Amino acid sequence: MTLPRLGALAREAAPKLLEAVVAPLAVFYLAMVVLGFKWALIATVAWVYLGVAWRLIRRVKVPATMYLAAFAITVRALVSFWTGTWMWFFIQPELGTICISMAFLASVRLNRPLVQKLTLDYIHLPSAVLRHERIRRFFARITLLWAFVLLMNSTLSIALAVYESLGGSLGAFMVLRTSAVAVISGLAITFSVWAFKRVLRRLHVAHA
Protein backbone atom coordinates (compact mmCIF):
# COMPACT_ATOMS: atom_id res chain seq x y z
CA MET A 1 0.00 0.00 0.00
CA THR A 2 1.45 3.39 -1.05
CA LEU A 3 0.94 5.94 1.70
CA PRO A 4 0.72 9.65 0.84
CA ARG A 5 2.99 12.27 2.39
CA LEU A 6 1.34 15.22 4.11
CA GLY A 7 3.56 17.73 2.32
CA ALA A 8 2.54 16.43 -1.10
CA LEU A 9 -1.14 16.48 -0.12
CA ALA A 10 -0.81 20.08 1.11
CA ARG A 11 0.84 21.20 -2.15
CA GLU A 12 -1.99 19.55 -4.08
CA ALA A 13 -4.79 21.06 -2.02
CA ALA A 14 -3.44 24.59 -1.39
CA PRO A 15 -4.07 26.13 -4.86
CA LYS A 16 -7.64 24.79 -4.96
CA LEU A 17 -8.43 26.04 -1.46
CA LEU A 18 -6.97 29.46 -2.24
CA GLU A 19 -9.11 29.75 -5.36
CA ALA A 20 -12.35 28.41 -3.86
CA VAL A 21 -12.21 29.86 -0.33
CA VAL A 22 -9.64 32.61 0.17
CA ALA A 23 -9.84 34.40 -3.19
CA PRO A 24 -13.65 34.99 -3.19
CA LEU A 25 -13.42 36.55 0.29
CA ALA A 26 -10.53 38.75 -0.82
CA VAL A 27 -12.43 39.83 -3.95
CA PHE A 28 -15.53 40.66 -1.90
CA TYR A 29 -13.69 42.68 0.76
CA LEU A 30 -11.57 44.59 -1.76
CA ALA A 31 -14.53 45.41 -4.02
CA MET A 32 -16.64 46.50 -1.05
CA VAL A 33 -13.97 48.92 0.15
CA VAL A 34 -13.35 50.37 -3.31
CA LEU A 35 -16.75 50.14 -5.04
CA GLY A 36 -19.38 49.47 -2.37
CA PHE A 37 -21.53 46.54 -1.30
CA LYS A 38 -23.53 45.93 -4.50
CA TRP A 39 -20.46 45.92 -6.72
CA ALA A 40 -18.78 43.60 -4.23
CA LEU A 41 -21.66 41.16 -4.78
CA ILE A 42 -21.26 41.37 -8.54
CA ALA A 43 -17.48 40.93 -8.36
CA THR A 44 -17.75 37.87 -6.10
CA VAL A 45 -20.38 36.20 -8.29
CA ALA A 46 -18.25 36.91 -11.37
CA TRP A 47 -15.16 35.42 -9.73
CA VAL A 48 -16.90 32.15 -8.87
CA TYR A 49 -18.45 31.78 -12.35
CA LEU A 50 -15.15 32.59 -14.06
CA GLY A 51 -13.50 29.84 -12.04
CA VAL A 52 -16.08 27.30 -13.21
CA ALA A 53 -15.98 28.54 -16.83
CA TRP A 54 -12.17 28.42 -16.94
CA ARG A 55 -12.18 24.77 -15.88
CA LEU A 56 -14.90 23.85 -18.37
CA ILE A 57 -13.01 25.54 -21.22
CA ARG A 58 -9.82 23.69 -20.29
CA ARG A 59 -11.76 20.44 -19.84
CA VAL A 60 -10.60 20.18 -16.24
CA LYS A 61 -12.83 18.49 -13.66
CA VAL A 62 -14.85 21.02 -11.68
CA PRO A 63 -15.03 20.10 -7.96
CA ALA A 64 -18.56 19.60 -6.63
CA THR A 65 -17.86 22.30 -4.05
CA MET A 66 -17.39 24.87 -6.85
CA TYR A 67 -20.82 24.11 -8.33
CA LEU A 68 -22.33 24.44 -4.87
CA ALA A 69 -20.48 27.72 -4.32
CA ALA A 70 -21.73 29.11 -7.65
CA PHE A 71 -25.33 28.21 -6.84
CA ALA A 72 -25.10 29.54 -3.29
CA ILE A 73 -23.49 32.87 -4.21
CA THR A 74 -26.12 33.42 -6.93
CA VAL A 75 -29.01 32.92 -4.50
CA ARG A 76 -27.34 35.11 -1.87
CA ALA A 77 -26.73 37.94 -4.32
CA LEU A 78 -30.29 37.86 -5.71
CA VAL A 79 -31.88 37.94 -2.25
CA SER A 80 -29.54 40.74 -1.15
CA PHE A 81 -30.40 42.84 -4.21
CA TRP A 82 -34.11 42.20 -3.67
CA THR A 83 -34.12 43.07 0.04
CA GLY A 84 -31.60 45.90 -0.30
CA THR A 85 -29.87 44.97 2.95
CA TRP A 86 -26.47 43.44 3.63
CA MET A 87 -27.75 41.41 6.60
CA TRP A 88 -29.45 38.78 4.44
CA PHE A 89 -26.35 38.30 2.32
CA PHE A 90 -24.56 37.00 5.41
CA ILE A 91 -27.46 35.28 7.18
CA GLN A 92 -28.46 33.13 4.16
CA PRO A 93 -25.26 31.05 4.04
CA GLU A 94 -25.26 30.67 7.81
CA LEU A 95 -28.72 29.09 7.69
CA GLY A 96 -27.44 26.80 4.97
CA THR A 97 -24.33 26.03 7.02
CA ILE A 98 -26.48 24.96 9.96
CA CYS A 99 -28.21 22.49 7.62
CA ILE A 100 -24.80 21.31 6.41
CA SER A 101 -23.66 20.74 9.98
CA MET A 102 -26.71 18.53 10.49
CA ALA A 103 -25.81 16.67 7.29
CA PHE A 104 -22.30 16.17 8.67
CA LEU A 105 -23.75 14.57 11.79
CA ALA A 106 -26.08 12.37 9.74
CA SER A 107 -23.23 11.27 7.45
CA VAL A 108 -21.30 9.93 10.43
CA ARG A 109 -24.36 7.99 11.52
CA LEU A 110 -24.62 6.54 7.99
CA ASN A 111 -20.90 5.67 8.02
CA ARG A 112 -20.25 8.00 5.07
CA PRO A 113 -18.46 11.00 6.64
CA LEU A 114 -18.79 14.09 4.47
CA VAL A 115 -15.33 15.40 5.32
CA GLN A 116 -13.90 12.44 3.44
CA LYS A 117 -15.95 13.30 0.33
CA LEU A 118 -14.95 16.97 0.49
CA THR A 119 -11.30 16.10 1.08
CA LEU A 120 -11.22 13.97 -2.06
CA ASP A 121 -12.33 17.01 -4.09
CA TYR A 122 -8.97 18.60 -3.30
CA ILE A 123 -6.47 15.77 -2.81
CA HIS A 124 -6.05 12.20 -4.01
CA LEU A 125 -5.83 9.35 -1.53
CA PRO A 126 -5.25 5.75 -2.66
CA SER A 127 -8.25 3.47 -2.25
CA ALA A 128 -6.19 1.15 -0.05
CA VAL A 129 -5.57 4.04 2.35
CA LEU A 130 -9.25 5.02 2.39
CA ARG A 131 -10.24 1.48 3.32
CA HIS A 132 -7.92 1.42 6.34
CA GLU A 133 -9.78 1.38 9.67
CA ARG A 134 -7.68 4.17 11.16
CA ILE A 135 -8.44 6.46 8.22
CA ARG A 136 -12.15 5.65 8.44
CA ARG A 137 -12.18 6.48 12.17
CA PHE A 138 -10.23 9.67 11.52
CA PHE A 139 -12.72 10.98 8.95
CA ALA A 140 -15.67 10.08 11.18
CA ARG A 141 -14.21 11.96 14.14
CA ILE A 142 -13.13 14.97 12.10
CA THR A 143 -16.59 15.13 10.51
CA LEU A 144 -18.10 15.31 14.00
CA LEU A 145 -15.63 18.05 14.96
CA TRP A 146 -16.48 20.15 11.91
CA ALA A 147 -20.22 19.65 12.41
CA PHE A 148 -19.92 21.44 15.75
CA VAL A 149 -17.46 24.03 14.40
CA LEU A 150 -19.85 24.94 11.57
CA LEU A 151 -22.78 25.14 13.98
CA MET A 152 -20.83 27.38 16.36
CA ASN A 153 -19.61 29.71 13.60
CA SER A 154 -23.07 30.03 12.07
CA THR A 155 -24.83 30.72 15.33
CA LEU A 156 -22.28 33.39 16.23
CA SER A 157 -22.42 34.98 12.77
CA ILE A 158 -26.23 35.22 12.78
CA ALA A 159 -26.23 36.79 16.24
CA LEU A 160 -23.63 39.37 15.17
CA ALA A 161 -25.45 40.15 11.90
CA VAL A 162 -28.76 40.78 13.67
CA TYR A 163 -27.10 42.86 16.40
CA GLU A 164 -25.06 45.04 14.02
CA SER A 165 -27.94 45.51 11.58
CA LEU A 166 -30.03 47.03 14.35
CA GLY A 167 -27.57 49.72 15.32
CA GLY A 168 -24.12 48.91 14.10
CA SER A 169 -22.49 48.78 10.70
CA LEU A 170 -21.37 46.35 8.02
CA GLY A 171 -17.74 47.20 8.73
CA ALA A 172 -18.06 46.37 12.43
CA PHE A 173 -19.87 43.13 11.63
CA MET A 174 -17.20 42.03 9.16
CA VAL A 175 -14.36 42.73 11.59
CA LEU A 176 -16.05 40.93 14.50
CA ARG A 177 -17.31 37.99 12.45
CA THR A 178 -14.08 37.49 10.54
CA SER A 179 -12.01 37.60 13.74
CA ALA A 180 -14.24 35.16 15.64
CA VAL A 181 -14.62 32.70 12.77
CA ALA A 182 -10.90 32.89 12.02
CA VAL A 183 -10.00 31.94 15.59
CA ILE A 184 -12.52 29.10 15.86
CA SER A 185 -11.82 27.72 12.38
CA GLY A 186 -8.07 28.21 12.74
CA LEU A 187 -7.98 26.09 15.87
CA ALA A 188 -10.11 23.40 14.19
CA ILE A 189 -7.92 23.41 11.06
CA THR A 190 -4.75 23.17 13.13
CA PHE A 191 -6.13 20.23 15.07
CA SER A 192 -7.41 18.54 11.89
CA VAL A 193 -4.02 18.83 10.16
CA TRP A 194 -2.21 17.60 13.28
CA ALA A 195 -4.58 14.64 13.60
CA PHE A 196 -4.27 13.78 9.89
CA LYS A 197 -0.48 13.97 10.10
CA ARG A 198 -0.57 11.75 13.17
CA VAL A 199 -2.73 9.05 11.56
CA LEU A 200 -0.59 9.05 8.40
CA ARG A 201 2.56 8.75 10.50
CA ARG A 202 1.08 5.74 12.28
CA LEU A 203 0.21 4.14 8.96
CA HIS A 204 3.73 4.72 7.69
CA VAL A 205 5.15 3.07 10.82
CA ALA A 206 2.74 0.14 10.58
CA HIS A 207 3.66 -0.52 6.93
CA ALA A 208 7.38 0.26 7.16
Side-chain angles (χ1 to χ4, degrees):
M1 178 172 61
T2 302
L3 298 175
R5 296 288 180 180
L6 189 61
L9 295 177
R11 287 191 296 272
E12 182 184 351
K16 298 175 183 178
L17 289 173
L18 286 173
E19 178 188 5
V21 179
V22 178
L25 287 175
V27 169
F28 177 83
Y29 290 152
L30 180 61
M32 191 194 69
V33 171
V34 177
L35 302 171
F37 176 66
K38 289 188 176 180
W39 280 106
L41 290 178
I42 294 172
T44 307
V45 171
W47 172 269
V48 174
Y49 275 92
L50 283 173
V52 174
W54 178 247
R55 278 179 165 76
L56 292 175
I57 291 171
R58 296 176 62 199
R59 300 182 184 277
V60 176
K61 179 184 177 183
V62 180
T65 49
M66 287 196 71
Y67 284 121
L68 290 174
F71 175 75
I73 197 69
T74 301
V75 173
R76 291 170 65 186
L78 289 174
V79 172
S80 297
F81 274 116
W82 181 58
T83 60
T85 175
W86 61 264
M87 182 183 73
W88 286 106
F89 180 75
F90 293 99
I91 285 184
Q92 289 175 80
E94 303 306 338
L95 295 175
T97 301
I98 290 175
C99 294
I100 292 173
S101 71
M102 297 299 104
F104 272 41
L105 291 174
S107 73
V108 174
R109 180 68 176 175
L110 296 172
N111 201 28
R112 294 186 176 181
L114 278 175
V115 168
Q116 178 175 324
K117 167 61 179 172
L118 296 175
T119 299
L120 295 179
D121 275 344
Y122 293 95
I123 62 176
H124 171 72
L125 290 174
S127 57
V129 173
L130 293 173
R131 288 194 299 267
H132 199 284
E133 184 60 28
R134 282 180 177 171
I135 293 293
R136 294 170 67 87
R137 286 200 305 268
F138 165 79
F139 279 119
R141 291 169 181 173
I142 291 299
T143 299
L144 284 175
L145 168 67
W146 279 98
F148 289 108
V149 168
L150 293 173
L151 184 60
M152 186 185 305
N153 282 342
S154 295
T155 303
L156 179 61
S157 297
I158 290 172
L160 287 172
V162 172
Y163 176 77
E164 292 297 336
S165 69
L166 294 176
S169 66
L170 174 57
F173 164 78
M174 291 178 65
V175 170
L176 290 172
R177 178 195 178 274
T178 302
S179 300
V181 170
V183 171
I184 295 171
S185 300
L187 291 173
I189 290 171
T190 300
F191 176 79
S192 299
V193 171
W194 172 83
F196 193 35
K197 184 176 181 179
R198 182 168 176 262
V199 74
L200 287 179
R201 187 187 302 118
R202 288 188 172 185
L203 288 180
H204 278 294
V205 171
H207 292 86

